[in-house]
Amino acid sequence: MEHSFYYKYSDYLKNKYGSKVYKLPINLPISCPNRENGTGCTFCADIATGFESQDNRLTVREQLEKNRDYIGRRYHAHQFIAYFQNYTNTYMPFDQFKNYISQVLSVPDIVEISISTRPDCICDDYLEFLAEFGDKNHIGINIELGLQTVNYHTLKKINRGHGLAEYIDSVLRIKKYPMTLCTHLILNLPWDTMDDVIEMSKFISVLPTDIVKLHSLYIARNSVMAGQYLAHEFSVCSKEEYLERVKTFLEYLKPDIAVERLFSRIPENDAIFSNWETSWWKLNEMLNQLMSVSGSVQGCKYNYTNGPRIRF
């Protein structure tokens, strides 16, 4: 049996729902406030989709059915998460939002709805609706917040459009309701250091975070960041340094926070830089080896809460 150095999201889902659960991505014809008010985040490209994404002209039901048939056959799956994944899925009129969410009920075996959004697009009306919808239909609700970094100078450099206050506010609002929270982070933005990585881990650990999704920085074609990269305005850290950052992040991370992802996955044709031309599974092997040699496990340095300086 493979030794696990961290609390895997797959194990978290199995503990919660009793068997394997797979995400069915939903691609809506939407945008985000950051793109409407300018160019968007510097790392963002015109196409905000991922693997197994369907045409956003299809209805929610059609996308779920297509992906359910494919993923169900491929993985022998019987339980699914309806994953509203692209851009900002709470940035739309309230009635339109309710309509999209309600369409999930037309497809069987959905045990959870996961909604990807931004910290500055969370408000009580939407959360109250989601909580009532989940309770009435016995479906779990998970909110995915893109924070990316706790370095507010870096947030400005990537034109993120929000700061740490918006993130904290959204977390506290979300956790007033019976729903889970996933935070997205990029551990190797060019202007962040190892100190920022440690602070990121500590920051989300002392807030009521359930899941973390890590991304290795990829540089999408036709993004602002692509132009900056090609003009040598910044450089990306080495593969070895990124692995060291992931190891350190996990060491400081609260042990019961599930880890959904450690490395980005993007079709090669969509990026000019991604994962140092190394497959994600090879990077995972290298991380496991690094953690094994150093004797590291998730939470082994989670010793900074509850008055750690009191020594009487």
Side-chain angles (χ1 to χ4, degrees):
M1 183 176 179
E2 180 186 358
H3 176 68
S4 182
F5 298 95
Y6 55 91
Y7 184 24
K8 294 182 178 180
Y9 179 60
S10 57
D11 292 333
Y12 165 87
L13 290 176
K14 187 177 292 187
N15 292 338
K16 186 174 183 179
Y17 294 111
S19 65
K20 287 188 176 182
V21 184
Y22 290 85
K23 281 187 169 181
L24 305 179
I26 300 165
N27 181 24
L28 298 181
I30 57 174
S31 184
C32 84
N34 220 22
R35 293 182 65 82
E36 290 190 358
N37 296 331
T39 58
C41 303
T42 61
F43 57 75
C44 186
D46 293 333
I47 301 175
T49 58
F51 291 100
E52 281 121 22
S53 290
Q54 302 290 338
D55 191 321
N56 65 17
R57 290 171 294 184
L58 298 175
T59 67
V60 169
R61 177 178 179 175
E62 289 170 332
Q63 292 186 52
L64 286 174
E65 288 177 340
K66 285 178 176 290
N67 279 326
R68 183 181 180 277
D69 290 344
Y70 170 72
I71 293 174
R73 287 196 308 269
R74 183 175 182 181
Y75 299 107
H76 307 288
H78 303 288
Q79 295 192 102
F80 304 94
I81 295 171
Y83 179 32
F84 292 84
Q85 70 164 350
N86 66 311
Y87 291 128
T88 305
N89 287 274
T90 56
Y91 184 63
M92 66 182 79
F94 189 35
D95 287 343
Q96 183 181 10
F97 178 76
K98 291 192 291 185
N99 178 55
Y100 279 134
I101 297 299
S102 297
Q103 290 182 48
V104 169
L105 297 178
S106 63
V107 178
D109 305 320
I110 302 295
V111 297
E112 182 174 296
I113 296 172
S114 187
I115 300 166
S116 180
T117 187
R118 293 167 51 91
D120 52 3
C121 289
I122 292 291
C123 69
D124 291 335
D125 289 348
Y126 291 63
L127 294 174
E128 185 174 347
F129 162 73
L130 287 170
E132 291 177 355
F133 182 89
D135 181 63
K136 178 181 178 181
N137 298 290
H138 308 290
I139 292 177
I141 304 294
N142 178 61
I143 306 294
E144 299 200 8
L145 288 180
L147 173 59
Q148 315 312 350
T149 179
V150 298
N151 184 326
Y152 57 88
H153 298 292
T154 300
L155 287 172
K156 287 185 177 181
K157 282 184 176 292
I158 63 176
N159 196 39
R160 186 64 188 160
H162 67 74
L164 297 181
E166 291 88 336
Y167 174 78
I168 295 171
D169 174 67
S170 62
V171 169
L172 298 179
R173 290 183 187 279
I174 289 166
K175 299 307 285 190
K176 290 189 299 183
Y177 301 93
M179 52 185 70
T180 55
L181 169 66
C182 173
T183 299
H184 291 224
L185 296 168
I186 302 173
L187 290 194
N188 62 326
L189 286 164
W191 308 277
D192 285 358
T193 67
M194 183 65 85
D195 287 339
D196 294 305
V197 170
I198 293 172
E199 194 64 21
M200 278 189 257
S201 187
K202 296 167 73 173
F203 183 75
I204 70 164
S205 290
V206 299
L207 289 169
T209 305
D210 302 287
I211 307 159
V212 64
K213 184 185 287 187
L214 302 183
H215 301 268
S216 47
L217 178 65
Y218 66 81
I219 301 174
R221 296 186 187 278
N222 302 318
S223 64
V224 172
M225 190 172 279
Q228 295 171 334
Y229 180 72
L230 293 173
H232 305 290
E233 294 181 20
F234 67 83
S235 59
V236 181
C237 76
S238 68
K239 174 171 54 181
E240 291 73 20
E241 182 178 341
Y242 180 75
L243 292 173
E244 188 67 33
R245 289 188 180 199
V246 175
K247 177 183 79 71
T248 302
F249 179 91
L250 292 173
E251 289 174 340
Y252 283 90
L253 188 66
K254 189 179 179 182
D256 63 359
I257 295 177
V259 180
E260 182 171 354
R261 177 180 290 174
L262 298 170
F263 312 100
S264 295
R265 297 178 64 184
I266 181 174
E268 292 182 6
N269 293 336
D270 292 344
I272 62 173
F273 174 87
S274 177
N275 288 342
W276 304 272
E277 298 184 350
T278 306
S279 65
W280 69 268
W281 57 265
K282 180 62 176 176
L283 289 171
N284 196 63
E285 285 184 353
M286 296 172 68
L287 176 66
N288 287 342
Q289 177 66 18
L290 178 63
M291 296 191 74
S292 178
V293 170
S294 62
S296 297
V297 293
Q298 178 178 340
C300 65
K301 295 181 180 178
Y302 178 65
N303 57 2
Y304 45 85
T305 62
N306 196 28
R309 296 296 296 273
I310 297 176
R311 295 289 184 271
F312 295 109

